[in-house]
Amino acid sequence: MISANNITLRLGKKALFEEVNIKFTEGNCYGLIGANGAGKSTFLKILSGQLEPTNGDVFITPGQRLSFLQQDHFKYDEHTVLDTVIMGNQRLYDIRNEKDAIYMKEDFSDEDGIRASELEAEFADMDGWNAESDAAMLLNGLGIPTEDHETIMKDLPGALKVKILLAQALFGNPDILLLDEPTNHLDLDAIAWLEEFLINFENTVIVVSHDRYFLNKVCTNIADIDYGKIQLYAGNYDFWYESSQLLVKQMKEANKKKEEKIKELQEFISRFSANASKSKQATSRKRALEKIQLDEIRPSSRKYPYIDFRPSRDIGNEVLIVENISKTIDGVKILDNISFILGHDDKVAFVGGNELAKTTFFKIITGELEPDEGTFKWGVTTSQSYFPKDNTQIFDTDLIIVDWLTQFSEIKDATYVRGFLGRMLFAGEDGIKKMRVLSGGEKVRVLLSRMMIEASNVLILDEPTDHLDMESITALNNGLIKFPGVILFSSRDHQVVETTANRIIEFLPDGSMIDKITTYDEYLASDEMARKRSVYSMSATDEEDN
């Protein structure tokens, strides 16, 4: 068990938390939610001891081990992947190293023998002999191949480091597990594996995530941060949303009844306060009036942008023809003989772990990259808007937001352009921010503003939910569902994929593809996915046997 007792945290004059009391018990998974800036990550740092509160304290049941997801991707650069994971249980790692160092001594003494025996006993109690196989199992589950397990961390790309640090947090069955955005940069297969892991995890989990589907799958409780307080709700994210909305509705209805009673009492007092025969009744009603207190209903600090993609023209029957496209990068065939025809009602989700293939394909059909072989042809009635995964070059400019966005508007009017920015929560002076100083979430909202103002009938989006908060993801999800044109997109957000797509394309590791007219959940349950899992499982078994 872990609890926060009278936690207050002040940053200057602002109180981020004010006398927060909350208890997290064994066997439950708590989703910690709140608007951007509400303090979700900060609260996890307080619980993990990385940050001292201004007042209050954190209590952990004696003897229990707490593990948290590291955010420093360079901290373990000099260690192997396997050692990095085992460091998730630092005591176990230290014991292993100490006893190994003793056994390597040339002048092995009696004292060394006694110490080694003590360490061996503790090592066995901690199931240390299975540490490497347990770590390897976690890594394989997250999609880290066995051949990478002895690789030095600094030699791996950032996307793999994220998975390795997650495996580190999960390692060794910690009593309390704190996860800050664990699904960030994970592909949908890895997220599905993590969901199953947490569902079967029997200890305490506290997780911050912007993925609504993930929270619905794994959470038994929701801890909602708003206005410096944390309110606990039983159930998953959807249950929290319904409960919180119902609570506000009930408070409004109760206030309405109280207001009607107040009006009734005030009218009686006004009519009869000067009437001697009614004076006692008027006085009694004054006392009753004083006792009526309206419930304070503070609006949530959450802010939802308004995302509405409206194409300027209808799309014809001919949308996109892709014929025999192939592409090799650094000697690896990324796309191999890809062909398909896009219909005018298609909303296609590109799924699977081959992220480079998805990004490469989007770059080819938007003209940023030439294929090695094959062709593609857009229909004459189509117009495309592209949201790239890597937006570094776009924001490498000294232009302010409103001037940059005006370039893409047929109406060269600052007020008109600011209207789109206002929908995306850029209010007042925000419009004159320079492009290069924007945060990750602000950059995404600027690019979505551009897509709205371009009014295209084909949207191409490569991981648009990265860096967005839950409110913005919800708004984007609704905007994509309502969009009457064609969509080609990839996303790590399961709910966005499931509710938007009516067609699924997966690029496989060998560069080939699976193409199905279906929803995402139906695809996951399909025979193709079962066969694919079987092939991958056999491959992994063969590697282990070798």
Side-chain angles (χ1 to χ4, degrees):
M1 184 198 75
I2 181 171
S3 61
N5 306 311
N6 296 314
I7 292 292
T8 296
L9 180 67
R10 295 190 177 277
L11 303 175
K13 294 182 179 179
K14 179 185 176 184
L16 192 59
F17 298 109
E18 194 75 58
E19 296 184 353
V20 169
N21 291 281
I22 189 168
K23 183 186 295 184
F24 303 98
T25 57
E26 185 177 349
N28 288 309
C29 178
Y30 298 85
L32 191 61
I33 65 171
N36 264 7
K40 301 182 292 293
S41 297
T42 301
F43 190 70
L44 285 190
K45 288 179 180 178
I46 292 173
L47 292 178
S48 65
Q50 298 174 80
L51 183 65
E52 284 291 326
T54 307
N55 292 304
D57 57 74
V58 173
F59 173 80
I60 297 175
T61 301
Q64 292 199 336
R65 183 170 71 86
L66 181 147
S67 179
F68 60 89
L69 177 57
Q70 296 278 357
Q71 302 297 320
D72 183 354
H73 296 174
F74 304 101
K75 183 175 181 179
Y76 303 94
D77 271 1
E78 302 305 318
H79 299 276
T80 67
V81 169
L82 212 55
D83 278 355
T84 299
V85 175
I86 294 173
M87 282 185 213
N89 188 337
Q90 190 64 45
R91 177 58 185 162
L92 176 64
Y93 180 77
D94 291 343
I95 290 173
R96 188 193 72 171
N97 288 352
E98 185 181 350
K99 71 184 185 67
D100 288 350
I102 290 174
Y103 290 138
M104 291 181 68
K105 283 186 174 183
E106 293 183 3
D107 53 343
F108 190 87
S109 66
D110 289 343
E111 290 78 8
D112 289 330
I114 294 170
R115 179 58 180 162
S117 177
E118 293 171 348
L119 292 172
E120 289 287 8
E122 189 174 356
F123 190 69
D125 286 343
M126 299 177 75
D127 200 25
W129 296 111
N130 291 319
E132 290 194 3
S133 60
D134 290 345
M137 191 178 300
L138 291 171
L139 290 166
N140 290 333
L142 287 166
I144 308 293
T146 304
E147 59 266 25
D148 285 338
H149 293 186
E150 295 298 334
T151 304
I152 300 299
M153 287 284 284
K154 67 181 178 183
D155 296 330
L156 294 174
L160 288 187
K161 287 183 179 180
V162 170
K163 291 183 175 183
I164 294 161
L165 292 178
L166 177 56
Q168 180 194 74
L170 303 178
F171 175 76
N173 195 36
D175 300 289
I176 300 161
L177 180 59
L178 308 182
L179 300 174
D180 191 358
E181 296 294 355
T183 61
N184 274 6
H185 307 296
L186 294 187
D187 56 76
L188 286 167
D189 289 340
I191 293 173
W193 179 89
L194 178 61
E195 288 167 356
E196 289 303 312
F197 181 94
L198 294 179
I199 288 169
N200 294 314
F201 189 74
E202 296 180 351
N203 299 330
T204 305
V205 183
I206 306 170
V207 59
V208 171
S209 177
H210 292 145
D211 188 326
R212 298 157 296 167
Y213 182 90
F214 177 77
L215 293 176
N216 278 330
K217 284 279 284 187
V218 305
C219 290
T220 60
N221 299 80
I222 294 294
D224 179 31
I225 302 179
D226 215 351
Y227 294 108
K229 300 292 185 181
I230 302 182
Q231 180 71 39
L232 199 59
Y233 295 81
N236 62 14
Y237 178 81
D238 282 350
F239 188 82
W240 161 80
Y241 183 79
E242 293 170 5
S243 299
S244 60
Q245 294 297 106
L246 178 61
L247 180 61
V248 171
K249 181 181 178 182
Q250 289 173 338
M251 290 173 68
K252 287 181 177 178
E253 290 175 350
N255 276 355
K256 185 177 179 181
K257 290 180 180 178
K258 289 177 183 178
E259 287 167 350
E260 290 172 353
K261 185 64 176 177
I262 289 170
K263 184 178 179 181
E264 177 187 323
L265 293 172
Q266 286 174 335
E267 288 178 351
F268 185 93
I269 294 167
S270 176
R271 287 177 60 193
F272 299 110
S273 59
N275 186 322
S277 64
K278 298 281 188 178
S279 62
K280 285 187 178 180
Q281 291 174 282
T283 301
S284 175
R285 280 165 172 73
K286 282 182 182 179
R287 294 195 191 99
L289 182 61
E290 290 169 357
K291 292 179 181 178
I292 298 176
Q293 297 291 327
L294 295 177
D295 293 322
E296 182 184 9
I297 305 175
R298 300 182 73 178
S300 173
S301 58
R302 293 173 172 83
K303 294 181 180 179
Y304 289 82
Y306 179 68
I307 299 177
D308 187 17
F309 303 106
R310 295 185 182 182
S312 59
R313 65 181 297 185
D314 293 334
I315 200 166
N317 290 326
E318 293 184 3
V319 181
L320 175 66
I321 300 174
V322 176
E323 293 186 321
N324 306 317
I325 282 183
S326 295
K327 184 68 179 178
T328 297
I329 297 177
D330 296 332
V332 178
K333 197 144 205 177
I334 305 301
L335 300 170
D336 187 11
N337 202 32
I338 299 300
S339 298
F340 64 87
I341 297 174
L342 207 60
H344 61 77
D345 293 321
D346 283 343
K347 291 180 169 60
V348 187
F350 290 79
V351 304
N354 197 347
E355 295 193 18
L356 180 56
K358 289 179 272 187
T359 297
T360 299
F361 179 74
F362 289 152
K363 286 183 176 181
I364 288 173
I365 63 173
T366 55
E368 287 193 11
L369 198 62
E370 288 290 328
D372 297 335
E373 300 173 15
T375 61
F376 68 92
K377 181 182 179 182
W378 287 105
V380 294
T381 63
T382 65
S383 56
Q384 303 87 39
S385 286
Y386 175 41
F387 181 103
K389 180 188 290 187
D390 183 1
N391 54 44
T392 306
Q393 289 186 341
I394 293 174
F395 290 90
D396 186 16
T397 174
D398 287 322
L399 287 175
I400 61 173
I401 300 175
V402 68
D403 289 347
W404 180 84
L405 193 58
T406 301
Q407 299 174 103
F408 305 96
S409 175
E410 288 187 5
I411 301 174
K412 306 297 182 183
D413 177 73
T415 303
Y416 175 76
V417 172
R418 281 179 180 274
F420 286 89
L421 290 173
R423 295 180 190 178
M424 298 304 292
L425 308 181
F426 290 100
E429 298 300 308
D430 288 342
I432 60 173
K433 279 186 177 180
K434 284 192 174 182
M435 293 280 284
R436 67 171 71 253
V437 303
L438 299 180
S439 68
E442 287 174 327
K443 288 177 180 178
V444 173
R445 287 188 278 122
V446 166
L447 292 177
L448 293 175
S449 298
R450 182 183 73 175
M451 297 184 83
M452 285 192 288
I453 211 167
E454 285 176 331
S456 300
N457 52 28
V458 178
L459 304 181
I460 304 167
L461 305 104
D462 192 1
E463 303 295 348
T465 55
D466 286 359
H467 306 294
L468 287 183
D469 59 23
M470 197 176 296
E471 292 72 39
S472 296
I473 291 173
T474 301
L476 173 60
N477 195 174
N478 293 336
L480 293 177
I481 291 170
K482 290 188 301 181
F483 181 62
V486 169
I487 305 174
L488 300 92
F489 74 104
S490 64
S491 174
R492 298 182 179 92
D493 189 294
H494 187 118
Q495 191 162 335
V496 170
V497 176
E498 169 61 20
T499 57
T500 303
N502 55 24
R503 181 175 178 180
I504 302 295
I505 291 179
E506 177 173 6
F507 293 131
L508 302 177
D510 63 1
S512 63
M513 76 174 200
I514 298 173
D515 182 2
K516 294 283 288 183
I517 306 296
T518 182
T519 66
Y520 183 56
D521 283 345
E522 289 170 345
Y523 177 70
L524 290 177
S526 67
D527 292 339
E528 283 82 358
M529 279 297 292
R531 283 195 293 271
K532 184 164 75 75
R533 290 192 195 99
S534 176
V535 169
Y536 291 166
S537 175
M538 289 173 62
S539 299
T541 303
D542 291 342
E543 286 180 5
E544 291 173 6
D545 291 343
N546 293 332

